[in-house]
Amino acid sequence: MSLFGSTSGFGTGGTSMFGSTTTDNHNPMKDIEVTSSPDDSIGCLSFSPPTLPGNFLIAGSWANDVRCWEVQDSGQTIPKAQQMHTGPVLDVCWSDDGSKVFTASCDKTAKMWDLNSNQAIQIAQHDAPVKTIHWIKAPNYSCVMTGSWDKTLKFWDTRSSNPMMVLQLPERCYCADVIYPMAVVATAERGLIVYQLENQPSEFRRIESPLKHQHRCVAIFKDKQNKPTGFALGSIEGRVAIHYINPPNPAKDNFTFKCHRSNGTNTSAPQDIYAVNGIAFHPVHGTLATVGSDGRFSFWDKDARTKLKTSEQLDQPIAACCFNHNGNIFAYASSYDWSKGHEFYNPQKKNYIFLRNAAEELKPRNKK
């Protein structure tokens, strides 16, 4: 049975392997559970690049570990390896050739994990936890970009213990994304900076935030020519902003939409409003997924400004998400995100990573 191959007829036959479910709602969408998921909250997920045959998934957790699984077309997941930091792992990314994984941690370091030798070495140092990590592959240089709560953005040649460049941020780095030649960093106090990466990284523009509440996640999107052209920014107030860098008509082209709120968004009744924990763009269709503290994922078409799907509610928040390189697999992590404080933490609750076939559900409606 091929769940994630090109001929996948996922849905009808895919649910039988779970048997009859009782009232347990940890997996209401009946998606595939990744085996041996981390023992504490999962903060980040990343799939291998298209240069690697097959699909490998990396997850970082608050148990200080980074784990790697092979995801087969059948949906079977095989734990391959893991590495440790001495603090929670807040972000992970891959090198473009798929041979290395980079990890950012609360232990104030970033590491490079060579998957072939299964060795991990420190490649970066900050004065506070490292919140974001991205690989930059430019024609004339390659480096790792780390963003930290020490209010700096640093660029590292993995062979040197000193950064190639250090850029000061107005505040602590909360989230970032990179698609060459563009990077975007969102900080505390609603700071928002776009960088250009050609020749060497430099600040391109500071943007007044389109959102009124704390920045939580950001993802760059591309235009029809496959060039980065803007970004989606999510906040703790159940809202996402779609922002183009150079739109023909800024007032019309840039917009925000509500999401991850109880009892719908078009209501005058009081509603619970949740954080948007993650945003990911589909690599083929350009549609997007958001995940939230409400325990739901939603799929959206930003061009048609429509919602394509919202999941049933999981019994805990969804903390992170990502697509694989061809967009056939949507991965999402179900973990407590501490959005309601320590009183709502239940150490008995397991953490899960789920895999869903995303080939059909993220197609824009108007495309036949």
Side-chain angles (χ1 to χ4, degrees), residues 3-207:
L3 292 186
F4 298 127
S6 50
T7 58
S8 161
F10 192 45
T12 47
T15 52
S16 59
M17 65 176 119
F18 297 107
S20 58
T21 50
T22 49
T23 52
D24 174 24
N25 61 342
H26 79 276
N27 184 12
M29 302 304 287
K30 300 191 167 42
D31 288 330
I32 291 171
E33 291 181 19
V34 172
T35 55
S36 312
S37 57
D39 298 324
D40 203 342
S41 295
I42 300 153
C44 46
L45 296 171
S46 183
F47 267 112
S48 51
T51 43
L52 269 190
N55 289 290
F56 294 85
L57 178 66
I58 298 283
S61 89
W62 283 74
N64 304 354
D65 62 347
V66 193
R67 299 187 182 200
C68 176
W69 296 263
E70 182 180 356
V71 179
Q72 299 184 326
D73 282 350
S74 64
Q76 191 175 359
T77 51
I78 303 161
K80 300 299 275 187
Q82 78 172 53
Q83 286 288 342
M84 300 296 294
H85 272 268
T86 55
V89 178
L90 301 183
D91 201 12
V92 292
C93 72
W94 290 78
S95 62
D96 62 294
D97 65 0
S99 67
K100 315 260 189 319
V101 166
F102 302 99
T103 56
S105 171
C106 286
D107 64 15
K108 307 179 189 176
T109 73
K111 289 185 175 181
M112 176 171 69
W113 178 11
D114 184 319
L115 295 174
N116 297 319
S117 65
N118 198 22
Q119 300 295 310
I121 57 165
Q122 181 181 336
I123 55 155
Q125 179 75 48
H126 279 270
D127 298 328
V130 187
K131 182 65 173 68
T132 66
I133 192 159
H134 292 84
W135 172 253
I136 297 173
K137 173 76 170 160
N140 62 323
Y141 71 93
S142 301
C143 71
V144 174
M145 180 183 93
T146 53
S148 167
W149 294 341
D150 68 8
K151 306 183 186 180
T152 65
L153 195 60
K154 295 185 180 183
F155 299 83
W156 306 85
D157 175 330
T158 56
R159 297 161 298 193
S160 165
S161 57
N162 294 319
M164 297 159 48
M165 179 181 284
V166 179
L167 297 175
Q168 297 299 315
L169 295 171
E171 251 295 348
R172 287 152 294 168
C173 176
Y174 276 173
C175 49
D177 196 18
V178 168
I179 294 181
Y180 184 84
M182 174 177 155
V184 59
V185 175
T187 71
E189 303 298 336
R190 298 170 46 244
L192 198 51
I193 310 174
V194 177
Y195 298 88
Q196 73 78 34
L197 303 174
E198 288 184 76
N199 298 322
Q200 63 172 15
S202 64
E203 191 172 311
F204 175 73
R205 185 184 299 163
R206 295 200 177 201
I207 296 172

Side-chain angles (χ1 to χ4, degrees), residues 290-338:
T290 61
V291 298
S293 292
D294 58 341
R296 296 180 194 269
F297 63 79
S298 293
F299 300 152
W300 312 84
D301 180 341
K302 71 169 171 51
D303 301 324
R305 302 194 185 186
T306 54
K307 183 195 286 188
L308 301 172
K309 184 187 185 72
T310 292
S311 73
E312 300 295 316
Q313 188 168 25
L314 278 67
D315 62 0
Q316 54 185 347
I318 303 179
C321 69
C322 68
F323 289 103
N324 77 321
H325 66 86
N326 64 9
N328 280 354
I329 312 175
F330 175 64
Y332 60 102
S334 159
S335 288
Y336 186 50
D337 58 2
W338 296 82

